[in-house]
Amino acid sequence: MSQGYRSRSGWGLIFNPLRMALVFTGRATRSDVLGWWLLGGVLFGLLAAITHMFAEAIWLEAIPNLIIGLATIALLVRRLHDIGHSGWWMALLLGVLIASVTGIHYYADAHPDAGVTANFLSVHLHGDVHWTPTLAALVALDLLGLLCTFALMLIPGAIGTNRYGPDPRMGREVSEPA
């Protein structure tokens, strides 16, 4: 698929990332990430509502989570490529996120009165949370992973072709940094 000019307004902002959802090669712009967050949020909400209707089939909740998660990983790999880094850095970030969510799940199971509930790939802190150093460290680790993910949207991409492919902004005016 060509990485040339793509629409950045209206529906193009939202549906360009969907077209490239499971592609791990090439580059993705900051607006691709923004579009995916908008579309992914809507998709996740709809799929969560549909699977919630079939609450007895907990495995059904895993399917949309895994699809959206895989598409998000592919997008972030392409975003790393756009800023000139290997997509393998995503493995480190993914490891941090998995470790923190898994740790919080184990914590919630071990401390049912702590004010923490955990379902498949989701954690909720509610009411009067009993903070311990372990819970604080796990939540901080999770927030660090999310902050790093958000930072990928703020870093401008490399101008012109890099080792991961042509500039996806080609065809639009790109200003050189001062």
Side-chain angles (χ1 to χ4, degrees), residues 36-97:
W36 178 246
W37 280 359
L38 295 173
L39 179 66
V42 170
L43 283 177
F44 184 77
L46 287 173
L47 292 173
I50 291 168
T51 57
H52 186 67
M53 291 188 287
F54 305 102
E56 64 277 354
I58 192 68
W59 61 269
L60 200 58
E61 185 181 341
I63 295 169
N65 285 338
L66 292 174
I67 292 169
I68 291 172
L70 187 60
T72 301
I73 291 168
L75 174 67
L76 294 177
V77 164
R78 290 192 325 274
R79 183 71 193 120
L80 282 165
H81 290 172
D82 191 45
I83 61 176
H85 295 290
S86 169
W88 285 106
W89 281 103
M90 190 60 210
L92 177 64
L93 181 58
L94 192 60
V96 167
L97 292 172

Side-chain angles (χ1 to χ4, degrees), residues 93 95-104 107 116 123 125 129 131-149:
L93 181 58
V96 167
L97 292 172
I98 289 173
S100 64
V101 170
T102 302
I104 293 172
Y107 185 88
V116 179
V123 173
L125 303 175
V129 176
W131 289 97
T132 64
T134 303
L135 179 60
L138 290 168
V139 170
L141 190 62
D142 191 45
L143 292 176
L144 176 66
L146 294 174
L147 189 65
C148 290
T149 303

